[in-house]
Amino acid sequence: MVFSSPTGRNKQSPFGTSDDRKKGVPTFRLQPKNPPPPSMPSADELLESAKVVALPMHTRFRGVKVREALIFSGPAGWGEFAPFVEYEDAEAKTWLAAGIEAAYLGPPAPVRDSVRVNATVPAVPAEEAAGLIARYPGVDTVKVKVAEPGQSLADDVERVAAARDLVGTVRIDANGGWSVQQAIEAVAAIGDVEYVEQPCATVEELAQVRRAVSVPIAADESIRRAGDPMRVAALDAADIAVLKVAPLGGMRALVALAERLPMDVVVSSALDTAVGMAAGIGAAAALPDLDRACGLGTGELFVRDVARSFRIEHGTVRPRRVEPGIDLPLASAERTRWWHERLRRCHDLLTRR
């Protein structure tokens, strides 16, 4: 995708390289021969329709019990801006780019009408796994969080075993929480899994673990938070790439990266609201090849969402346009101001020469 600056001067942006057209406003476009798409909106335009929500969750996930997000509307629907609060603006700006794409361009053309999803089990006591999995009707795959600070390997083993008793295929996600040696020991103790997602923090460590174990390794943070997402492939550090729309800058950016990566791809959410989930499912529906269940069922983690959550039927979800409800769980005035200021700073980074 191309982003053109008001001066027409070429520059690199999260959307790609700009063209040299001298126009009064920045614009998106897909290919040089396509007709001009809607203009890049200003921060004021985005904030005119913006709503900042605070969504309560059934279970603490990734350290979060209430998920905050800013959503806004455009000619193609709704977009979401919800980078985690600890992310700096330089990283958070790609999340804004993804939201603008969703609201002003909409999803790419789909090649499938449904997407298979996995259940998600946070780092809860093993006896709670069954109740969580029951929220995902018909799934054949479960992702279990492991390596939670303050918990032991024995907790992980017990939680994974409880999930395995209920669903045939289990994958685990350590969020980079282990050292290389800890990862090797944990894989041996936990036993049969589909893959281990981000066992260690760095690409070099992933490569070491991959050489030491027989279980496939998946990369998440090493791709979505990396300056060079192709480095995982260059170092033979992973068998599977876990891709997320918002951190990568949009649906089209995800599809383009998936085409370049020489490995299986799983599309996952970043604890998205229904608005962000629509973009994730839209990207997954547009991928030419998609052989594994995707992490696009995390709407089940919310007590309330901004819209009707994507209904899981026979382990799958269907892409659709999302329209937020009227009675939303809005954030406080103080938190709303914080998100508005954050959007303005990130918008400035997106459009700055």
Side-chain angles (χ1 to χ4, degrees), residues 44-112:
D44 286 340
E45 184 178 347
L46 296 175
L47 291 174
E48 282 179 11
S49 63
K51 301 178 187 299
V52 180
V53 296
L55 306 180
M57 301 180 63
H58 291 290
T59 305
R60 185 175 296 277
F61 185 82
R62 202 188 172 280
V64 175
K65 195 62 167 51
V66 176
R67 178 65 163 133
E68 292 183 343
L70 185 154
I71 59 175
F72 53 85
S73 64
W78 284 79
E80 175 178 300
F81 174 57
F84 295 112
V85 294
E86 68 270 21
Y87 286 10
E88 298 292 336
D89 293 346
E91 184 173 3
K93 69 180 182 181
T94 61
W95 298 58
L96 180 57
I100 293 171
E101 179 201 38
Y104 284 77
L105 287 180
V111 298
R112 60 181 58 81

Short mmCIF file of all heavy atoms in Angstrom, two decimals, residues 44-112:
data_model
loop_
_atom_site.label_atom_id
_atom_site.label_comp_id
_atom_site.label_asym_id
_atom_site.label_seq_id
_atom_site.Cartn_x
_atom_site.Cartn_y
_atom_site.Cartn_z
N ASP A 44 -8.00 15.06 13.40
CA ASP A 44 -9.29 15.62 13.81
C ASP A 44 -10.44 14.83 13.22
O ASP A 44 -11.45 14.58 13.89
CB ASP A 44 -9.40 17.08 13.35
CG ASP A 44 -8.55 18.02 14.19
OD1 ASP A 44 -8.19 17.65 15.33
OD2 ASP A 44 -8.24 19.13 13.71
N GLU A 45 -10.29 14.43 11.95
CA GLU A 45 -11.35 13.64 11.31
C GLU A 45 -11.52 12.30 12.00
O GLU A 45 -12.65 11.84 12.21
CB GLU A 45 -11.02 13.45 9.83
CG GLU A 45 -12.10 12.73 9.05
CD GLU A 45 -11.77 12.60 7.58
OE1 GLU A 45 -10.81 13.26 7.13
OE2 GLU A 45 -12.46 11.82 6.89
N LEU A 46 -10.44 11.64 12.35
CA LEU A 46 -10.52 10.36 13.04
C LEU A 46 -11.22 10.52 14.39
O LEU A 46 -12.03 9.68 14.80
CB LEU A 46 -9.13 9.76 13.23
CG LEU A 46 -8.37 9.39 11.96
CD1 LEU A 46 -6.97 8.92 12.31
CD2 LEU A 46 -9.10 8.31 11.17
N LEU A 47 -10.88 11.59 15.10
CA LEU A 47 -11.41 11.78 16.45
C LEU A 47 -12.86 12.24 16.47
O LEU A 47 -13.53 12.13 17.51
CB LEU A 47 -10.53 12.76 17.22
CG LEU A 47 -9.13 12.22 17.55
CD1 LEU A 47 -8.27 13.32 18.18
CD2 LEU A 47 -9.22 11.02 18.48
N GLU A 48 -13.37 12.72 15.34
CA GLU A 48 -14.77 13.12 15.29
C GLU A 48 -15.70 11.96 15.63
O GLU A 48 -16.72 12.14 16.29
CB GLU A 48 -15.12 13.66 13.90
CG GLU A 48 -14.65 15.08 13.64
CD GLU A 48 -15.01 15.55 12.24
OE1 GLU A 48 -15.79 14.84 11.57
OE2 GLU A 48 -14.50 16.61 11.82
N SER A 49 -15.37 10.78 15.15
CA SER A 49 -16.23 9.62 15.39
C SER A 49 -15.66 8.69 16.46
O SER A 49 -16.25 7.64 16.75
CB SER A 49 -16.40 8.82 14.09
OG SER A 49 -15.13 8.32 13.65
N ALA A 50 -14.53 9.05 17.06
CA ALA A 50 -13.81 8.14 17.95
C ALA A 50 -14.57 7.87 19.24
O ALA A 50 -15.20 8.77 19.82
CB ALA A 50 -12.43 8.70 18.27
N LYS A 51 -14.49 6.64 19.68
CA LYS A 51 -15.00 6.21 20.98
C LYS A 51 -13.90 5.41 21.66
O LYS A 51 -13.31 4.51 21.05
CB LYS A 51 -16.26 5.37 20.83
CG LYS A 51 -17.40 6.09 20.09
CD LYS A 51 -18.60 5.20 19.94
CE LYS A 51 -19.68 5.86 19.07
NZ LYS A 51 -20.19 7.11 19.64
N VAL A 52 -13.64 5.73 22.92
CA VAL A 52 -12.65 4.98 23.70
C VAL A 52 -13.41 4.08 24.66
O VAL A 52 -14.22 4.56 25.46
CB VAL A 52 -11.70 5.93 24.46
CG1 VAL A 52 -10.70 5.12 25.27
CG2 VAL A 52 -10.97 6.84 23.48
N VAL A 53 -13.16 2.79 24.55
CA VAL A 53 -13.90 1.82 25.35
C VAL A 53 -12.98 1.14 26.35
O VAL A 53 -11.75 1.09 26.18
CB VAL A 53 -14.56 0.76 24.45
CG1 VAL A 53 -15.60 1.39 23.54
CG2 VAL A 53 -13.52 0.01 23.62
N ALA A 54 -13.59 0.63 27.41
CA ALA A 54 -12.88 -0.15 28.43
C ALA A 54 -13.65 -1.44 28.62
O ALA A 54 -14.72 -1.46 29.24
CB ALA A 54 -12.79 0.63 29.73
N LEU A 55 -13.15 -2.52 28.04
CA LEU A 55 -13.88 -3.78 27.98
C LEU A 55 -13.42 -4.71 29.11
O LEU A 55 -12.26 -5.13 29.16
CB LEU A 55 -13.64 -4.47 26.64
CG LEU A 55 -13.96 -3.62 25.39
CD1 LEU A 55 -13.68 -4.44 24.14
CD2 LEU A 55 -15.39 -3.13 25.41
N PRO A 56 -14.34 -5.08 30.01
CA PRO A 56 -13.98 -6.03 31.07
C PRO A 56 -13.76 -7.43 30.50
O PRO A 56 -14.41 -7.82 29.52
CB PRO A 56 -15.19 -5.99 32.00
CG PRO A 56 -16.33 -5.57 31.12
CD PRO A 56 -15.74 -4.66 30.08
N MET A 57 -12.85 -8.17 31.11
CA MET A 57 -12.51 -9.51 30.63
C MET A 57 -12.86 -10.56 31.68
O MET A 57 -12.85 -10.30 32.88
CB MET A 57 -11.02 -9.57 30.28
CG MET A 57 -10.61 -8.56 29.22
SD MET A 57 -8.86 -8.64 28.84
CE MET A 57 -8.76 -10.30 28.18
N HIS A 58 -13.18 -11.76 31.21
CA HIS A 58 -13.50 -12.86 32.12
C HIS A 58 -12.28 -13.24 32.97
O HIS A 58 -12.41 -13.53 34.16
CB HIS A 58 -13.95 -14.10 31.33
CG HIS A 58 -15.29 -13.94 30.67
ND1 HIS A 58 -16.47 -13.90 31.38
CD2 HIS A 58 -15.63 -13.82 29.36
CE1 HIS A 58 -17.49 -13.76 30.55
NE2 HIS A 58 -17.01 -13.71 29.31
N THR A 59 -11.11 -13.25 32.33
CA THR A 59 -9.89 -13.71 32.97
C THR A 59 -8.75 -12.79 32.59
O THR A 59 -8.69 -12.31 31.45
CB THR A 59 -9.54 -15.15 32.52
OG1 THR A 59 -10.66 -16.00 32.76
CG2 THR A 59 -8.34 -15.70 33.25
N ARG A 60 -7.86 -12.54 33.52
CA ARG A 60 -6.68 -11.72 33.19
C ARG A 60 -5.90 -12.40 32.07
O ARG A 60 -5.63 -13.59 32.11
CB ARG A 60 -5.79 -11.56 34.42
CG ARG A 60 -4.61 -10.61 34.20
CD ARG A 60 -3.85 -10.41 35.50
NE ARG A 60 -4.68 -9.75 36.49
CZ ARG A 60 -4.86 -8.44 36.58
NH1 ARG A 60 -4.26 -7.63 35.72
NH2 ARG A 60 -5.64 -7.92 37.51
N PHE A 61 -5.55 -11.62 31.06
CA PHE A 61 -4.85 -12.15 29.89
C PHE A 61 -3.77 -11.17 29.50
O PHE A 61 -4.04 -9.98 29.31
CB PHE A 61 -5.83 -12.34 28.73
CG PHE A 61 -5.25 -13.00 27.51
CD1 PHE A 61 -5.14 -14.38 27.44
CD2 PHE A 61 -4.81 -12.24 26.44
CE1 PHE A 61 -4.60 -14.99 26.31
CE2 PHE A 61 -4.27 -12.85 25.31
CZ PHE A 61 -4.17 -14.23 25.25
N ARG A 62 -2.54 -11.68 29.43
CA ARG A 62 -1.40 -10.82 29.12
C ARG A 62 -1.30 -9.67 30.13
O ARG A 62 -0.93 -8.54 29.80
CB ARG A 62 -1.53 -10.26 27.69
CG ARG A 62 -0.21 -9.81 27.06
CD ARG A 62 -0.45 -9.11 25.75
NE ARG A 62 0.78 -8.51 25.23
CZ ARG A 62 1.26 -7.34 25.67
NH1 ARG A 62 0.63 -6.67 26.59
NH2 ARG A 62 2.39 -6.87 25.16
N GLY A 63 -1.65 -9.96 31.38
CA GLY A 63 -1.59 -8.96 32.43
C GLY A 63 -2.73 -7.95 32.40
O GLY A 63 -2.74 -7.00 33.19
N VAL A 64 -3.71 -8.14 31.51
CA VAL A 64 -4.80 -7.17 31.32
C VAL A 64 -6.11 -7.76 31.83
O VAL A 64 -6.46 -8.88 31.48
CB VAL A 64 -4.93 -6.79 29.83
CG1 VAL A 64 -6.13 -5.89 29.61
CG2 VAL A 64 -3.66 -6.13 29.34
N LYS A 65 -6.83 -7.01 32.65
CA LYS A 65 -8.17 -7.42 33.09
C LYS A 65 -9.26 -6.54 32.47
O LYS A 65 -10.41 -6.95 32.37
CB LYS A 65 -8.26 -7.34 34.62
CG LYS A 65 -9.46 -8.08 35.21
CD LYS A 65 -9.38 -9.56 34.92
CE LYS A 65 -10.36 -10.40 35.72
NZ LYS A 65 -11.73 -10.05 35.74
N VAL A 66 -8.88 -5.32 32.04
CA VAL A 66 -9.78 -4.43 31.30
C VAL A 66 -9.03 -3.97 30.06
O VAL A 66 -7.95 -3.39 30.15
CB VAL A 66 -10.21 -3.21 32.14
CG1 VAL A 66 -11.06 -2.26 31.30
CG2 VAL A 66 -10.98 -3.66 33.38
N ARG A 67 -9.58 -4.24 28.88
CA ARG A 67 -8.93 -3.91 27.62
C ARG A 67 -9.45 -2.57 27.12
O ARG A 67 -10.65 -2.40 26.86
CB ARG A 67 -9.21 -5.00 26.59
CG ARG A 67 -8.62 -4.75 25.20
CD ARG A 67 -7.12 -4.74 25.21
NE ARG A 67 -6.57 -4.89 23.87
CZ ARG A 67 -5.60 -4.13 23.38
NH1 ARG A 67 -5.08 -3.16 24.12
NH2 ARG A 67 -5.13 -4.35 22.17
N GLU A 68 -8.55 -1.61 26.96
CA GLU A 68 -8.93 -0.31 26.41
C GLU A 68 -8.62 -0.28 24.92
O GLU A 68 -7.64 -0.85 24.46
CB GLU A 68 -8.16 0.80 27.12
CG GLU A 68 -8.57 1.00 28.57
CD GLU A 68 -7.84 2.17 29.23
OE1 GLU A 68 -6.80 2.62 28.68
OE2 GLU A 68 -8.30 2.61 30.28
N ALA A 69 -9.46 0.43 24.18
CA ALA A 69 -9.26 0.57 22.73
C ALA A 69 -9.97 1.82 22.25
O ALA A 69 -10.98 2.24 22.83
CB ALA A 69 -9.81 -0.65 21.99
N LEU A 70 -9.44 2.40 21.19
CA LEU A 70 -10.09 3.52 20.53
C LEU A 70 -10.57 3.04 19.17
O LEU A 70 -9.80 2.48 18.39
CB LEU A 70 -9.10 4.68 20.38
CG LEU A 70 -9.64 6.00 19.80
CD1 LEU A 70 -8.78 7.17 20.30
CD2 LEU A 70 -9.64 6.01 18.26
N ILE A 71 -11.83 3.23 18.89
CA ILE A 71 -12.40 2.85 17.59
C ILE A 71 -12.93 4.09 16.89
O ILE A 71 -13.33 5.06 17.54
CB ILE A 71 -13.51 1.78 17.74
CG1 ILE A 71 -14.64 2.28 18.63
CG2 ILE A 71 -12.92 0.48 18.28
CD1 ILE A 71 -15.84 1.33 18.72
N PHE A 72 -12.91 4.07 15.56
CA PHE A 72 -13.37 5.22 14.78
C PHE A 72 -13.95 4.70 13.46
O PHE A 72 -13.64 3.59 13.02
CB PHE A 72 -12.25 6.21 14.52
CG PHE A 72 -11.00 5.61 13.92
CD1 PHE A 72 -10.89 5.44 12.55
CD2 PHE A 72 -9.96 5.21 14.74
CE1 PHE A 72 -9.76 4.88 11.99
CE2 PHE A 72 -8.82 4.64 14.19
CZ PHE A 72 -8.71 4.48 12.82
N SER A 73 -14.77 5.52 12.83
CA SER A 73 -15.44 5.09 11.60
C SER A 73 -14.91 5.83 10.40
O SER A 73 -14.37 6.94 10.50
CB SER A 73 -16.95 5.29 11.71
OG SER A 73 -17.27 6.66 11.81
N GLY A 74 -15.06 5.21 9.23
CA GLY A 74 -14.69 5.80 7.95
C GLY A 74 -15.62 5.31 6.88
O GLY A 74 -16.59 4.59 7.15
N PRO A 75 -15.37 5.65 5.64
CA PRO A 75 -16.28 5.28 4.56
C PRO A 75 -16.38 3.78 4.31
O PRO A 75 -17.36 3.33 3.73
CB PRO A 75 -15.69 6.00 3.34
CG PRO A 75 -14.28 6.31 3.70
CD PRO A 75 -14.26 6.52 5.17
N ALA A 76 -15.39 3.01 4.75
CA ALA A 76 -15.43 1.56 4.52
C ALA A 76 -15.84 0.78 5.76
O ALA A 76 -15.94 -0.44 5.71
CB ALA A 76 -14.05 1.06 4.05
N GLY A 77 -16.09 1.48 6.88
CA GLY A 77 -16.47 0.78 8.10
C GLY A 77 -15.77 1.35 9.32
O GLY A 77 -15.54 2.56 9.42
N TRP A 78 -15.39 0.48 10.24
CA TRP A 78 -14.78 0.89 11.50
C TRP A 78 -13.34 0.39 11.58
O TRP A 78 -13.01 -0.67 11.08
CB TRP A 78 -15.59 0.36 12.68
CG TRP A 78 -16.85 1.12 12.90
CD1 TRP A 78 -18.02 0.99 12.20
CD2 TRP A 78 -17.07 2.16 13.86
NE1 TRP A 78 -18.95 1.87 12.66
CE2 TRP A 78 -18.41 2.61 13.69
CE3 TRP A 78 -16.29 2.75 14.84
CZ2 TRP A 78 -18.96 3.62 14.47
CZ3 TRP A 78 -16.84 3.76 15.63
CH2 TRP A 78 -18.16 4.19 15.44
N GLY A 79 -12.51 1.20 12.23
CA GLY A 79 -11.13 0.83 12.48
C GLY A 79 -10.84 0.89 13.97
O GLY A 79 -11.55 1.54 14.74
N GLU A 80 -9.78 0.21 14.36
CA GLU A 80 -9.40 0.14 15.77
C GLU A 80 -7.96 0.60 15.96
O GLU A 80 -7.08 0.29 15.15
CB GLU A 80 -9.55 -1.30 16.26
CG GLU A 80 -9.06 -1.54 17.70
CD GLU A 80 -9.28 -2.97 18.14
OE1 GLU A 80 -10.45 -3.41 18.15
OE2 GLU A 80 -8.28 -3.66 18.46
N PHE A 81 -7.73 1.34 17.02
CA PHE A 81 -6.39 1.77 17.43
C PHE A 81 -6.24 1.34 18.89
O PHE A 81 -6.81 1.96 19.78
CB PHE A 81 -6.25 3.28 17.27
CG PHE A 81 -4.95 3.85 17.79
CD1 PHE A 81 -3.73 3.39 17.32
CD2 PHE A 81 -4.96 4.85 18.76
CE1 PHE A 81 -2.53 3.92 17.79
CE2 PHE A 81 -3.77 5.40 19.23
CZ PHE A 81 -2.56 4.93 18.75
N ALA A 82 -5.49 0.26 19.13
CA ALA A 82 -5.42 -0.29 20.48
C ALA A 82 -4.06 -0.91 20.80
O ALA A 82 -3.98 -2.02 21.31
CB ALA A 82 -6.53 -1.32 20.68
N PRO A 83 -2.96 -0.21 20.50
CA PRO A 83 -1.67 -0.75 20.92
C PRO A 83 -1.62 -0.84 22.44
O PRO A 83 -2.21 -0.01 23.14
CB PRO A 83 -0.66 0.27 20.38
CG PRO A 83 -1.45 1.53 20.22
CD PRO A 83 -2.84 1.12 19.88
N PHE A 84 -0.95 -1.85 22.96
CA PHE A 84 -0.87 -2.00 24.40
C PHE A 84 -0.24 -0.76 25.01
O PHE A 84 0.61 -0.11 24.40
CB PHE A 84 -0.10 -3.27 24.76
CG PHE A 84 -0.80 -4.52 24.29
CD1 PHE A 84 -0.27 -5.31 23.29
CD2 PHE A 84 -2.02 -4.89 24.85
CE1 PHE A 84 -0.92 -6.45 22.85
CE2 PHE A 84 -2.68 -6.04 24.41
CZ PHE A 84 -2.14 -6.81 23.41
N VAL A 85 -0.64 -0.42 26.22
CA VAL A 85 -0.31 0.88 26.79
C VAL A 85 1.20 1.08 26.98
O VAL A 85 1.68 2.21 26.98
CB VAL A 85 -1.03 1.10 28.13
CG1 VAL A 85 -2.54 1.18 27.92
CG2 VAL A 85 -0.70 0.00 29.13
N GLU A 86 1.94 -0.01 27.10
CA GLU A 86 3.38 0.14 27.32
C GLU A 86 4.15 0.38 26.03
O GLU A 86 5.35 0.68 26.06
CB GLU A 86 3.94 -1.10 28.03
CG GLU A 86 3.92 -2.39 27.21
CD GLU A 86 2.65 -3.21 27.37
OE1 GLU A 86 1.62 -2.62 27.78
OE2 GLU A 86 2.70 -4.42 27.08
N TYR A 87 3.51 0.27 24.87
CA TYR A 87 4.21 0.46 23.60
C TYR A 87 4.50 1.94 23.37
O TYR A 87 3.65 2.80 23.56
CB TYR A 87 3.38 -0.07 22.44
CG TYR A 87 3.33 -1.58 22.32
CD1 TYR A 87 3.81 -2.41 23.32
CD2 TYR A 87 2.78 -2.19 21.20
CE1 TYR A 87 3.75 -3.78 23.21
CE2 TYR A 87 2.72 -3.56 21.08
CZ TYR A 87 3.20 -4.35 22.09
OH TYR A 87 3.15 -5.72 21.98
N GLU A 88 5.71 2.22 22.90
CA GLU A 88 6.07 3.58 22.54
C GLU A 88 5.37 3.97 21.23
O GLU A 88 4.94 3.12 20.45
CB GLU A 88 7.59 3.69 22.37
CG GLU A 88 8.38 3.39 23.63
CD GLU A 88 8.19 4.43 24.73
OE1 GLU A 88 7.82 5.58 24.38
OE2 GLU A 88 8.39 4.10 25.90
N ASP A 89 5.30 5.29 20.98
CA ASP A 89 4.58 5.78 19.80
C ASP A 89 5.16 5.25 18.50
O ASP A 89 4.41 4.98 17.55
CB ASP A 89 4.60 7.30 19.77
CG ASP A 89 3.80 7.93 20.90
OD1 ASP A 89 3.01 7.20 21.55
OD2 ASP A 89 3.96 9.14 21.13
N ALA A 90 6.47 5.09 18.42
CA ALA A 90 7.10 4.62 17.18
C ALA A 90 6.60 3.24 16.80
O ALA A 90 6.49 2.90 15.62
CB ALA A 90 8.62 4.61 17.34
N GLU A 91 6.29 2.42 17.79
CA GLU A 91 5.73 1.10 17.52
C GLU A 91 4.22 1.17 17.37
O GLU A 91 3.63 0.46 16.53
CB GLU A 91 6.10 0.14 18.66
CG GLU A 91 5.66 -1.29 18.46
CD GLU A 91 6.20 -2.24 19.52
OE1 GLU A 91 6.87 -1.77 20.46
OE2 GLU A 91 5.95 -3.45 19.40
N ALA A 92 3.58 2.02 18.15
CA ALA A 92 2.11 2.10 18.14
C ALA A 92 1.57 2.69 16.84
O ALA A 92 0.41 2.45 16.49
CB ALA A 92 1.65 2.94 19.32
N LYS A 93 2.38 3.44 16.10
CA LYS A 93 1.86 4.09 14.90
C LYS A 93 1.39 3.08 13.85
O LYS A 93 0.46 3.37 13.08
CB LYS A 93 2.92 5.02 14.29
CG LYS A 93 4.11 4.31 13.68
CD LYS A 93 5.12 5.29 13.10
CE LYS A 93 6.29 4.56 12.45
NZ LYS A 93 7.30 5.49 11.91
N THR A 94 2.00 1.90 13.80
CA THR A 94 1.55 0.91 12.82
C THR A 94 0.15 0.41 13.14
O THR A 94 -0.61 0.05 12.24
CB THR A 94 2.52 -0.28 12.74
OG1 THR A 94 2.58 -0.94 14.00
CG2 THR A 94 3.90 0.16 12.33
N TRP A 95 -0.21 0.40 14.43
CA TRP A 95 -1.56 0.03 14.82
C TRP A 95 -2.57 1.05 14.31
O TRP A 95 -3.69 0.68 13.92
CB TRP A 95 -1.66 -0.09 16.35
CG TRP A 95 -0.78 -1.14 16.97
CD1 TRP A 95 0.57 -1.24 16.89
CD2 TRP A 95 -1.21 -2.25 17.78
NE1 TRP A 95 1.02 -2.32 17.61
CE2 TRP A 95 -0.05 -2.95 18.16
CE3 TRP A 95 -2.46 -2.69 18.24
CZ2 TRP A 95 -0.09 -4.08 18.97
CZ3 TRP A 95 -2.50 -3.81 19.04
CH2 TRP A 95 -1.34 -4.50 19.41
N LEU A 96 -2.19 2.32 14.31
CA LEU A 96 -3.07 3.35 13.75
C LEU A 96 -3.19 3.18 12.24
O LEU A 96 -4.28 3.32 11.69
CB LEU A 96 -2.54 4.74 14.09
CG LEU A 96 -3.36 5.92 13.56
CD1 LEU A 96 -4.80 5.86 14.06
CD2 LEU A 96 -2.72 7.25 13.94
N ALA A 97 -2.09 2.87 11.58
CA ALA A 97 -2.14 2.63 10.14
C ALA A 97 -3.12 1.51 9.82
O ALA A 97 -3.90 1.59 8.86
CB ALA A 97 -0.75 2.29 9.62
N ALA A 98 -3.10 0.45 10.62
CA ALA A 98 -4.01 -0.68 10.39
C ALA A 98 -5.46 -0.25 10.58
O ALA A 98 -6.35 -0.66 9.82
CB ALA A 98 -3.66 -1.82 11.33
N GLY A 99 -5.73 0.56 11.60
CA GLY A 99 -7.09 1.02 11.83
C GLY A 99 -7.60 1.90 10.70
O GLY A 99 -8.76 1.80 10.29
N ILE A 100 -6.72 2.77 10.20
CA ILE A 100 -7.12 3.64 9.08
C ILE A 100 -7.41 2.80 7.84
O ILE A 100 -8.39 3.05 7.12
CB ILE A 100 -6.03 4.68 8.81
CG1 ILE A 100 -5.92 5.65 9.99
CG2 ILE A 100 -6.32 5.44 7.52
CD1 ILE A 100 -4.73 6.59 9.91
N GLU A 101 -6.59 1.81 7.57
CA GLU A 101 -6.85 0.94 6.42
C GLU A 101 -8.23 0.30 6.53
O GLU A 101 -9.01 0.26 5.56
CB GLU A 101 -5.79 -0.15 6.33
CG GLU A 101 -6.02 -1.10 5.16
CD GLU A 101 -5.31 -2.44 5.32
OE1 GLU A 101 -5.27 -2.96 6.46
OE2 GLU A 101 -4.82 -2.97 4.32
N ALA A 102 -8.56 -0.24 7.71
CA ALA A 102 -9.84 -0.91 7.89
C ALA A 102 -11.01 0.04 7.68
O ALA A 102 -12.00 -0.30 7.03
CB ALA A 102 -9.91 -1.52 9.29
N ALA A 103 -10.89 1.26 8.21
CA ALA A 103 -12.00 2.21 8.14
C ALA A 103 -12.14 2.89 6.78
O ALA A 103 -13.24 3.27 6.38
CB ALA A 103 -11.84 3.27 9.23
N TYR A 104 -11.03 3.03 6.06
CA TYR A 104 -11.05 3.82 4.82
C TYR A 104 -10.86 2.98 3.55
O TYR A 104 -11.20 3.44 2.47
CB TYR A 104 -10.00 4.93 4.89
CG TYR A 104 -10.46 6.06 5.77
CD1 TYR A 104 -10.41 5.95 7.15
CD2 TYR A 104 -11.00 7.22 5.23
CE1 TYR A 104 -10.88 6.97 7.98
CE2 TYR A 104 -11.46 8.25 6.04
CZ TYR A 104 -11.40 8.11 7.42
OH TYR A 104 -11.87 9.12 8.23
N LEU A 105 -10.35 1.78 3.66
CA LEU A 105 -10.22 0.90 2.49
C LEU A 105 -11.01 -0.39 2.63
O LEU A 105 -11.44 -0.98 1.63
CB LEU A 105 -8.75 0.55 2.25
CG LEU A 105 -7.86 1.65 1.68
CD1 LEU A 105 -6.43 1.12 1.52
CD2 LEU A 105 -8.39 2.15 0.36
N GLY A 106 -11.20 -0.87 3.86
CA GLY A 106 -11.86 -2.14 4.06
C GLY A 106 -10.94 -3.30 3.78
O GLY A 106 -9.76 -3.13 3.46
N PRO A 107 -11.43 -4.53 3.89
CA PRO A 107 -10.58 -5.71 3.75
C PRO A 107 -10.24 -6.01 2.30
O PRO A 107 -10.95 -5.59 1.38
CB PRO A 107 -11.44 -6.83 4.34
CG PRO A 107 -12.84 -6.37 4.10
CD PRO A 107 -12.82 -4.87 4.26
N PRO A 108 -9.15 -6.74 2.07
CA PRO A 108 -8.85 -7.22 0.72
C PRO A 108 -9.86 -8.28 0.29
O PRO A 108 -10.62 -8.81 1.12
CB PRO A 108 -7.44 -7.80 0.86
CG PRO A 108 -7.30 -8.13 2.30
CD PRO A 108 -8.14 -7.16 3.05
N ALA A 109 -9.86 -8.61 -0.97
CA ALA A 109 -10.81 -9.60 -1.49
C ALA A 109 -10.57 -10.96 -0.84
O ALA A 109 -9.44 -11.44 -0.80
CB ALA A 109 -10.68 -9.71 -3.00
N PRO A 110 -11.62 -11.61 -0.34
CA PRO A 110 -11.44 -12.92 0.31
C PRO A 110 -11.31 -14.05 -0.70
O PRO A 110 -11.79 -13.94 -1.83
CB PRO A 110 -12.72 -13.07 1.13
CG PRO A 110 -13.75 -12.31 0.35
CD PRO A 110 -13.01 -11.14 -0.26
N VAL A 111 -10.67 -15.12 -0.27
CA VAL A 111 -10.58 -16.33 -1.08
C VAL A 111 -11.27 -17.50 -0.37
O VAL A 111 -11.34 -18.59 -0.92
CB VAL A 111 -9.12 -16.70 -1.40
CG1 VAL A 111 -8.46 -15.62 -2.21
CG2 VAL A 111 -8.32 -16.98 -0.13
N ARG A 112 -11.77 -17.26 0.85
CA ARG A 112 -12.52 -18.29 1.59
C ARG A 112 -13.60 -17.60 2.39
O ARG A 112 -13.49 -16.41 2.73
CB ARG A 112 -11.59 -19.11 2.50
CG ARG A 112 -10.86 -18.29 3.56
CD ARG A 112 -9.93 -19.16 4.41
NE ARG A 112 -8.95 -19.85 3.58
CZ ARG A 112 -7.83 -19.29 3.12
NH1 ARG A 112 -7.56 -18.03 3.41
NH2 ARG A 112 -7.00 -19.96 2.37
#
